Amino acid sequence: MMKDRTWGGRLFDITNISLLILFSALTVLPFLYMVLGSFASSEEFAKRGMVLIPTKFSLEAYTYIFSTKTIVRSLFNTIFITVVGTFINLLFTVLMAYPLARKELLWRKPIMLMIIFSMLFSGGMIPTFLVVKMLGLMNSLWSLLIPGAISAFNLIILKNFFQQMPEGIEESAKIDGSNDVGILFKIVLPLSLPAIATFSLFYAVGHWNSFFSAILYINDTTKWPIQVILRQVVIMAEGGIGDSSQVNDAFVIPPQSIKMAVITVSTLPILIVYPFLQKHFAKGVLLGSVKG
């Protein structure tokens, strides 16, 4: 195939491939630096300043951060928030998007206008804080799940996706005696797996990376997600997440390695999930984006 290409076409391909390799390296190298740096000792950081590949791999940073329950407990909180929050998001988004996709729904257009209005003009931080407080959700993990149960943007995309489904499928199901709930869960959702997988990833990544709401609504440190702990360690330069007595006597707390170890621990789980949803990702994002 390359023999039939002109010199201009070959030059275009070489330029594209070179740029893609460059951008890939710029994306991957910081992550590799962070992961490999978490295995470096404090002495190596003191000597070399920047450690891309440690001369001697050390697990002291991981031993230190896992010497107490802080990281494990915050990881459990984050997993709970991500799993339960994503389920709530998908449940409410699907249950609202499917009726709105039906043209026979009463007050369909006014409801859509209110949804679009809420997307463009949100209530803001203080009104949301007061609502959470009045609902009695303060200092509870539910304060991170209930207020953002539905994303207006994702709702509109999923509604458009449902609208593109052939009406004949639902009419056939109704002739066979199925009601609307049966059609939704037995026919529509199985046919919508790419879209559901994509929105699951959107919601899950959002919950995993969220930290600001936890700072606003949760004072109990035992309920903090991993991202708040990460913020305390990296930005606020607050240690105390480990117990030095649990490691050897010659151990010196390596601040750089500990920061990189906490970042690695907080990033790795969500990266492991992505390959399982990647095959549905591109298709799911594009579907539903044609009609308005």
Side-chain angles (χ1 to χ4, degrees):
M1 293 296 291
M2 289 296 291
K3 292 180 180 179
D4 299 332
R5 300 296 301 275
T6 63
W7 279 105
R10 293 180 183 180
L11 182 62
F12 180 77
D13 289 341
I14 292 171
T15 305
N16 273 343
I17 293 170
S18 302
L19 287 175
L20 287 174
I21 292 174
L22 176 63
F23 288 138
S24 300
L26 290 174
T27 305
V28 173
L29 274 178
F31 186 73
L32 286 178
Y33 169 68
M34 177 187 68
V35 175
L36 295 174
S38 66
F39 294 102
S41 63
S42 56
E43 292 81 5
E44 194 162 6
F45 268 108
K47 290 179 182 178
R48 299 170 58 185
M50 179 178 178
V51 180
L52 186 59
I53 300 177
T55 54
K56 183 181 179 181
F57 281 80
S58 170
L59 293 175
E60 287 182 335
Y62 290 95
T63 304
Y64 177 73
I65 66 173
F66 283 110
S67 60
T68 64
K69 296 180 180 178
T70 303
I71 292 293
V72 176
R73 186 172 54 223
S74 59
L75 269 176
F76 176 79
N77 291 337
T78 303
I79 292 172
F80 175 82
I81 293 167
T82 302
V83 174
V84 178
T86 302
F87 175 77
I88 291 174
N89 292 140
L90 289 176
L91 179 66
F92 282 90
T93 304
V94 168
L95 291 181
M96 191 163 184
Y98 182 66
L100 288 172
R102 307 274 68 83
K103 296 179 180 176
E104 62 272 17
L105 178 69
L106 193 64
W107 302 104
R108 178 168 172 263
K109 288 187 177 179
I111 294 173
M112 282 304 303
L113 286 176
M114 286 190 285
I115 292 171
I116 295 172
F117 183 86
S118 70
M119 185 172 65
L120 298 176
F121 306 99
S122 66
M125 184 176 66
I126 294 176
T128 306
F129 178 86
L130 294 176
V131 170
V132 172
K133 187 177 180 181
M134 290 176 64
L135 292 175
L137 298 177
M138 292 296 291
N139 231 13
S140 165
L141 293 180
W142 295 106
S143 63
L144 311 179
L145 307 178
I146 303 301
I150 298 178
S151 162
F153 182 76
N154 292 343
L155 171 67
I156 292 172
I157 295 179
L158 192 60
K159 177 197 77 86
N160 292 340
F161 176 79
F162 287 152
Q163 278 182 329
Q164 294 179 25
M165 288 191 172
E167 296 180 359
I169 296 177
E170 299 179 22
E171 291 173 356
S172 300
K174 285 184 179 178
I175 293 174
D176 291 338
S178 183
N179 55 24
D180 289 332
V181 177
I183 293 173
L184 173 62
F185 285 98
K186 294 180 181 178
I187 297 177
V188 174
L189 288 184
L191 294 174
S192 309
L193 284 181
I196 299 298
T198 303
F199 288 115
S200 299
L201 186 63
F202 283 159
Y203 281 127
V205 173
H207 282 299
W208 189 273
N209 292 329
S210 176
F211 72 96
F212 190 65
S213 297
I215 294 174
L216 285 178
Y217 306 137
I218 298 179
N219 296 321
D220 187 353
T221 57
T222 62
K223 297 179 181 178
W224 277 355
I226 186 70
Q227 302 300 339
V228 178
I229 301 297
L230 175 63
R231 174 182 176 273
Q232 298 297 108
V233 173
V234 176
I235 300 178
M236 307 297 289
E238 292 183 6
I241 62 171
D243 184 2
S244 301
S245 64
Q246 299 297 319
V247 291
N248 60 64
D249 296 336
F251 175 73
V252 177
I253 297 176
Q256 288 293 98
S257 299
I258 289 176
K259 289 178 182 178
M260 293 180 177
V262 176
I263 293 173
T264 303
V265 169
S266 65
T267 308
L268 205 57
I270 198 68
L271 288 180
I272 295 174
V273 174
Y274 180 74
F276 296 99
L277 300 175
Q278 190 272 338
K279 62 180 180 181
H280 301 295
F281 188 72
K283 184 179 178 182
V285 168
L286 293 176
L287 289 175
S289 61
V290 178
K291 293 182 179 180

